[in-house]
């Protein structure tokens, strides 16, 4: 088994076919989308392929170490994950091909008008084992 990250983007990927931003969806459209995501996760839980999924709000802050007690906080001007990452699903599957198959299914989640979004998802493998530190 290998773990993969199925990454949903706000921006940065090619435009989805049904490219209406979620903040313009009706409450019923949002409910249908969330139900699809939950049903997808439940089916993968049954097969043992589901690890987790999370949705992210568009808000966020950059912080870095700048000396003892002084973490600078900024809201730009560079590309930030809050502008790019909408959420993710982590799966644990037998093959890369299976990861691609599941990403394709996830891409079909309904959006505006109840039609599939056909959004692009980034499929990223996790490193298979923890790094070994040698001296």
């Amino acid at each position: 088994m290998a773990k993969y990250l199925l990454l949903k983007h706000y921006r940065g990927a090619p435009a989805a076919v049904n490219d209406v931003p979620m903040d313009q969806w009706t409450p019923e459209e949002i409910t249908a989308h969330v139900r699809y995501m939950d049903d997808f996760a439940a089916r993968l839980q049954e097969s043992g392929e589901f690890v987790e999924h999370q949705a992210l709000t568009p808000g966020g802050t950059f912080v870095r170490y700048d000396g003892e007690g002084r973490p600078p906080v900024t809201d730009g001007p560079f590309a930030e994950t809050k502008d790019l990452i909408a959420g993710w699903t982590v799966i644990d599957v037998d093959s890369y091909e299976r990861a691609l198959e599941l990403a394709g299914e996830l891409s079909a989640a309904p959006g505006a008008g109840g039609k599939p979004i056909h959004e692009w998802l980034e499929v990223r493998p996790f490193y298979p084992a923890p790094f070994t530190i040698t001296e």
Side-chain angles (χ1 to χ4, degrees):
M1 299 289 277
K3 289 184 182 174
Y4 289 88
L5 174 68
L6 308 181
L7 192 58
K8 298 172 72 66
H9 291 272
Y10 280 116
R11 291 188 283 278
V17 172
N18 187 359
D19 197 21
V20 178
M22 189 179 259
D23 63 359
Q24 296 175 21
W25 296 2
T26 66
E28 294 79 17
E29 291 166 343
I30 292 171
T31 298
H33 181 80
V34 171
R35 184 176 302 118
Y36 183 97
M37 301 293 289
D38 288 345
D39 290 347
F40 178 84
R43 188 167 42 85
L44 295 185
Q45 282 176 327
E46 289 177 18
S47 69
E49 297 173 306
F50 181 79
V51 177
E52 73 162 319
H53 70 172
Q54 295 290 324
L56 298 173
T57 67
T61 304
F62 258 97
V63 177
R64 75 163 193 217
Y65 177 77
D66 195 34
E68 198 61 39
R70 299 183 314 233
V73 176
T74 183
D75 192 34
F78 27 80
E80 301 180 33
T81 57
K82 71 179 182 181
D83 295 330
L84 303 175
I85 301 172
W88 68 84
T89 298
V90 178
I91 56 175
D92 196 357
V93 294
D94 288 327
S95 68
Y96 176 69
E97 290 74 21
R98 178 66 175 152
L100 295 179
E101 178 185 341
L102 292 174
E105 289 182 35
L106 193 55
S107 171
K115 296 180 181 171
I117 298 171
H118 296 282
E119 68 182 323
W120 289 92
L121 296 171
E122 185 176 350
V123 178
R124 304 248 335 245
F126 281 70
Y127 279 108
F131 290 109
T132 301
I133 300 173
T134 59
E135 294 194 42

